[in-house]
Amino acid sequence: MSIIEVAVVGYGLAGSVFHAPLIAAQPRMRVAAVVTSSEERAERARAEHPGVRVVPHAEELFATPDGIDLAVIATPNHTHAPLAGQALEAGLPVVVDKPFAVAVDDAEDLVRRAERSGLALSVFQNRRWDGDFRTVRELVETGRLGRVRRFESRFERWRPVPKGGWREVGTDEEGAGILLDLGSHLVDQAVTLFGPVASVYCELDRRREGITTDDDAFVALTHTGGVRSHLWMSAVAAQLGPRFRVLGSEAGYVTYGLDPQEEALRSGRRPGNDSPWGTVDAEHWGVLGAEPDFAPVPTAPGAYPDFYSAMAAALLDGAPVPVDPRDAVTTLRLLTKARESAALGVTVTA
């Protein structure tokens, strides 16, 4: 196997915008199959990936997986664990979009099944490859902030009118709500930077009429190393706060705005064309320093394509998977604790 033939299960926003273009940009991979029951999406898949095999149901794909080397699960949240399990049962390595699962038990079961079968399993925590996060990580690891005391991170939006999709009108069992959606990224980033968590506090609210789940959330993590992570996610932020604000014993770092890769993918740009990928203009760089001395810090280029480069290396070269699924289990466990904290109105032990 020199080229990994990939099946993308689900061709909505996640499958068509976040996964398939990155797979197609990876020289050692090809989008070989797409699972969608929508004829409109099927036609789009055929146009975007000539020669692709389109099947309406995952069961059909997994019943005859010949010619497929990797399954990517990019379907609604509550189907992630069942479909990943079917893919493993069919003998396929798997990438699962976040959240890994809705329930911790299901996530742990997937890890055990992958280990027993010797199949690669990873989770698409693409925000580890955001340029601003890569910049924060470098500042933390090189000690330019001193000892970090507080880490603030936000994914905030201003959407006062609900769109009515399942993320807004679904149930906890369906994996709806902003906590599981954006919180999967924010918690993963915090734990990646600062390690294990001792306690969790959470506030969850439903602010808009016509929705059935949380659309505004705050999570506070106290890491065993002493760092406090404060994480905000909201659909009702009329003024957006900084994306990151990191305070250390020697300096702080503040940056605004979102990594440009999502917007580039949504607008049809693809990695590997003539334009630089994931770069941020100087006027949008974050600022490092302490009163009264501040200086802009170049934002590292975003690198979403690195996820599938690493996944190709895992399958072809025996390298580690890009995201250890145990990390995703930890994130899901902390999000579960956060929901427990919000229900009780108290800090809970992680």
Side-chain angles (χ1 to χ4, degrees):
M1 177 173 58
S2 58
I3 295 293
I4 299 166
E5 304 285 359
V6 183
V8 179
V9 183
Y11 208 68
L13 176 65
S16 66
V17 172
F18 287 102
H19 290 278
L22 300 180
I23 294 164
Q26 167 50 239
R28 305 171 86 186
M29 288 184 166
R30 186 178 80 89
V31 178
V34 164
V35 176
T36 179
S37 59
S38 163
E39 187 54 40
E40 177 184 352
R41 293 176 179 178
E43 288 305 313
R44 177 151 46 98
R46 293 185 182 101
E48 293 171 343
H49 307 283
V52 69
R53 169 190 174 197
V54 179
V55 297
H57 304 293
E59 292 76 11
E60 180 179 340
L61 176 77
F62 297 142
T64 55
D66 295 345
I68 299 299
D69 305 307
L70 172 68
V72 173
I73 309 302
T75 50
N77 292 349
H78 71 283
T79 66
H80 286 182
L83 288 173
Q86 291 178 38
L88 292 171
E89 187 68 26
L92 295 174
V94 186
V95 167
V96 187
D97 202 355
K98 63 82 198 167
F100 187 22
V102 174
V104 173
D105 288 348
D106 292 338
E108 291 177 331
D109 179 64
L110 287 175
V111 172
R112 287 191 296 267
R113 292 171 67 179
E115 289 176 344
R116 285 198 303 267
S117 60
L119 294 169
L121 173 64
S122 192
V123 182
F124 190 63
Q125 288 288 3
N126 61 305
R127 295 291 182 175
R128 292 189 186 186
W129 287 268
D130 278 358
D132 46 19
F133 178 72
R134 296 179 71 208
T135 304
V136 169
R137 191 170 189 174
E138 191 272 339
L139 293 173
V140 170
E141 292 177 351
T142 58
R144 296 177 67 186
L145 296 160
R147 182 176 178 82
V148 175
R149 294 163 174 165
R150 187 180 305 277
F151 172 67
E152 299 177 6
S153 178
R154 293 171 173 84
F155 275 134
E156 295 177 327
R157 300 163 175 166
W158 176 234
R159 293 178 178 171
V161 179
K163 294 183 177 181
W166 63 265
R167 285 183 175 85
E168 295 177 326
V169 299
T171 64
D172 289 349
E173 292 73 22
E174 292 174 305
I178 205 164
L179 178 68
L180 197 59
D181 183 22
L182 300 181
S184 294
H185 289 308
L186 295 176
V187 170
D188 175 75
Q189 288 182 335
V191 174
T192 296
L193 288 174
F194 304 114
V197 172
S199 64
V200 181
Y201 171 77
C202 178
E203 299 169 3
L204 282 182
D205 290 289
R206 187 168 68 242
R207 302 292 191 186
R208 296 170 295 173
E209 293 184 3
I211 69 167
T212 60
T213 187
D214 49 276
D215 61 357
D216 192 29
F218 168 73
V219 176
L221 306 176
T222 300
H223 298 266
T224 57
V227 178
R228 296 185 185 274
S229 290
H230 286 181
L231 314 174
W232 288 264
M233 58 228 76
S234 180
V236 291
Q239 294 193 32
L240 309 184
R243 174 66 186 91
F244 291 113
R245 180 172 180 255
V246 192
L247 302 177
S249 60
E250 303 298 326
Y253 173 76
V254 179
T255 187
Y256 286 81
L258 292 176
D259 177 276
Q261 295 175 95
E262 176 177 347
E263 181 55 36
L265 290 167
R266 284 176 178 265
S267 66
R269 285 192 56 206
R270 297 294 180 253
N273 60 19
D274 294 333
S275 301
W277 181 258
T279 57
V280 174
D281 295 336
E283 59 265 31
H284 296 121
W285 290 349
V287 174
L288 174 71
E291 292 285 356
D293 299 317
F294 301 98
V297 175
T299 301
Y304 289 174
D306 286 5
F307 177 91
Y308 277 109
S309 293
M311 196 65 201
L315 296 178
L316 296 175
D317 307 326
V321 294
V323 176
D324 190 323
R326 297 177 189 82
D327 293 352
V329 174
T330 296
T331 293
L332 186 58
R333 184 176 291 113
L334 290 172
L335 291 168
T336 303
K337 287 289 186 178
R339 195 169 292 280
E340 176 186 338
S341 167
L344 297 173
V346 298
T347 299
V348 297
T349 300

